[in-house]
mmCIF file of all heavy atoms in Angstrom:
data_model
loop_
_atom_site.group_PDB
_atom_site.id
_atom_site.type_symbol
_atom_site.label_atom_id
_atom_site.label_comp_id
_atom_site.label_asym_id
_atom_site.label_seq_id
_atom_site.Cartn_x
_atom_site.Cartn_y
_atom_site.Cartn_z
ATOM 1 N N LYS Y 2 1.973 1.211 0.818
ATOM 2 C CA LYS Y 2 2.780 2.363 0.911
ATOM 3 C C LYS Y 2 3.496 2.698 -0.408
ATOM 4 O O LYS Y 2 3.613 3.791 -0.931
ATOM 5 C CB LYS Y 2 3.806 2.165 1.931
ATOM 6 C CG LYS Y 2 4.379 3.349 2.538
ATOM 7 C CD LYS Y 2 5.217 3.046 3.733
ATOM 8 C CE LYS Y 2 5.616 4.270 4.478
ATOM 9 N NZ LYS Y 2 6.480 3.913 5.669
ATOM 10 N N LEU Y 3 3.993 1.492 -1.139
ATOM 11 C CA LEU Y 3 4.698 1.741 -2.260
ATOM 12 C C LEU Y 3 3.765 2.281 -3.416
ATOM 13 O O LEU Y 3 4.248 3.169 -4.218
ATOM 14 C CB LEU Y 3 5.204 0.327 -2.741
ATOM 15 C CG LEU Y 3 6.050 0.322 -4.034
ATOM 16 C CD1 LEU Y 3 7.168 1.262 -3.975
ATOM 17 C CD2 LEU Y 3 6.429 -1.071 -4.455
ATOM 18 N N ARG Y 4 2.574 1.799 -3.452
ATOM 19 C CA ARG Y 4 1.563 2.350 -4.389
ATOM 20 C C ARG Y 4 1.316 3.956 -4.263
ATOM 21 O O ARG Y 4 1.383 4.601 -5.316
ATOM 22 C CB ARG Y 4 0.282 1.628 -4.331
ATOM 23 C CG ARG Y 4 -0.783 2.098 -5.312
ATOM 24 C CD ARG Y 4 -1.955 1.451 -5.121
ATOM 25 N NE ARG Y 4 -1.826 0.058 -5.618
ATOM 26 C CZ ARG Y 4 -2.766 -0.859 -5.612
ATOM 27 N NH1 ARG Y 4 -4.017 -0.610 -5.014
ATOM 28 N NH2 ARG Y 4 -2.574 -2.110 -5.968
ATOM 29 N N SER Y 5 1.329 4.355 -3.093
ATOM 30 C CA SER Y 5 1.068 5.732 -2.845
ATOM 31 C C SER Y 5 2.276 6.680 -3.237
ATOM 32 O O SER Y 5 2.203 7.689 -3.751
ATOM 33 C CB SER Y 5 0.615 6.055 -1.385
ATOM 34 O OG SER Y 5 1.735 5.654 -0.549
ATOM 35 N N ILE Y 6 3.409 6.033 -3.012
ATOM 36 C CA ILE Y 6 4.739 6.699 -3.398
ATOM 37 C C ILE Y 6 4.725 6.800 -4.920
ATOM 38 O O ILE Y 6 5.197 7.850 -5.454
ATOM 39 C CB ILE Y 6 5.929 5.974 -2.818
ATOM 40 C CG1 ILE Y 6 5.982 6.082 -1.299
ATOM 41 C CG2 ILE Y 6 7.289 6.555 -3.461
ATOM 42 C CD1 ILE Y 6 6.982 5.290 -0.664
ATOM 43 N N LEU Y 7 4.462 5.735 -5.597
ATOM 44 C CA LEU Y 7 4.480 5.697 -7.194
ATOM 45 C C LEU Y 7 3.473 6.611 -7.678
ATOM 46 O O LEU Y 7 3.774 7.300 -8.588
ATOM 47 C CB LEU Y 7 4.261 4.264 -7.612
ATOM 48 C CG LEU Y 7 5.349 3.308 -7.412
ATOM 49 C CD1 LEU Y 7 4.999 1.916 -7.801
ATOM 50 C CD2 LEU Y 7 6.681 3.705 -8.076
ATOM 51 N N GLU Y 8 2.271 6.765 -7.097
ATOM 52 C CA GLU Y 8 1.258 7.616 -7.612
ATOM 53 C C GLU Y 8 1.640 9.073 -7.371
ATOM 54 O O GLU Y 8 1.508 9.995 -8.201
ATOM 55 C CB GLU Y 8 -0.076 7.360 -6.995
ATOM 56 C CG GLU Y 8 -0.749 6.064 -7.419
ATOM 57 C CD GLU Y 8 -2.000 5.752 -6.623
ATOM 58 O OE1 GLU Y 8 -2.471 6.533 -5.850
ATOM 59 O OE2 GLU Y 8 -2.510 4.688 -6.904
ATOM 60 N N ALA Y 9 2.255 9.238 -6.220
ATOM 61 C CA ALA Y 9 2.732 10.786 -6.003
ATOM 62 C C ALA Y 9 3.843 11.002 -6.919
ATOM 63 O O ALA Y 9 3.987 12.226 -7.459
ATOM 64 C CB ALA Y 9 3.226 10.796 -4.574
ATOM 65 N N THR Y 10 4.802 10.193 -7.227
ATOM 66 C CA THR Y 10 5.797 10.419 -8.232
ATOM 67 C C THR Y 10 5.273 10.750 -9.573
ATOM 68 O O THR Y 10 5.703 11.702 -10.262
ATOM 69 C CB THR Y 10 6.829 9.225 -8.309
ATOM 70 O OG1 THR Y 10 7.254 8.879 -6.968
ATOM 71 C CG2 THR Y 10 7.983 9.541 -9.166
ATOM 72 N N LYS Y 11 4.267 9.983 -10.097
ATOM 73 C CA LYS Y 11 3.745 10.264 -11.368
ATOM 74 C C LYS Y 11 3.023 11.714 -11.443
ATOM 75 O O LYS Y 11 3.289 12.442 -12.357
ATOM 76 C CB LYS Y 11 2.634 9.198 -11.681
ATOM 77 C CG LYS Y 11 3.153 7.852 -11.911
ATOM 78 C CD LYS Y 11 1.981 6.930 -12.350
ATOM 79 C CE LYS Y 11 2.526 5.574 -12.485
ATOM 80 N NZ LYS Y 11 1.362 4.591 -12.690
ATOM 81 N N THR Y 12 2.325 12.103 -10.389
ATOM 82 C CA THR Y 12 1.667 13.373 -10.462
ATOM 83 C C THR Y 12 2.711 14.523 -10.296
ATOM 84 O O THR Y 12 2.494 15.456 -10.981
ATOM 85 C CB THR Y 12 0.557 13.529 -9.395
ATOM 86 O OG1 THR Y 12 1.219 13.196 -8.121
ATOM 87 C CG2 THR Y 12 -0.490 12.482 -9.606
ATOM 88 N N ASN Y 13 3.620 14.340 -9.454
ATOM 89 C CA ASN Y 13 4.726 15.406 -9.260
ATOM 90 C C ASN Y 13 5.502 15.585 -10.504
ATOM 91 O O ASN Y 13 5.929 16.629 -10.907
ATOM 92 C CB ASN Y 13 5.611 15.034 -8.093
ATOM 93 C CG ASN Y 13 4.851 15.236 -6.840
ATOM 94 O OD1 ASN Y 13 3.896 15.970 -6.593
ATOM 95 N ND2 ASN Y 13 5.468 14.605 -5.700
#
Side-chain angles (χ1 to χ4, degrees):
K2 200 173 191 182
L3 180 60
R4 180 180 290 173
S5 63
I6 292 172
L7 290 174
E8 288 175 5
T10 304
K11 286 180 186 177
T12 57
N13 287 340

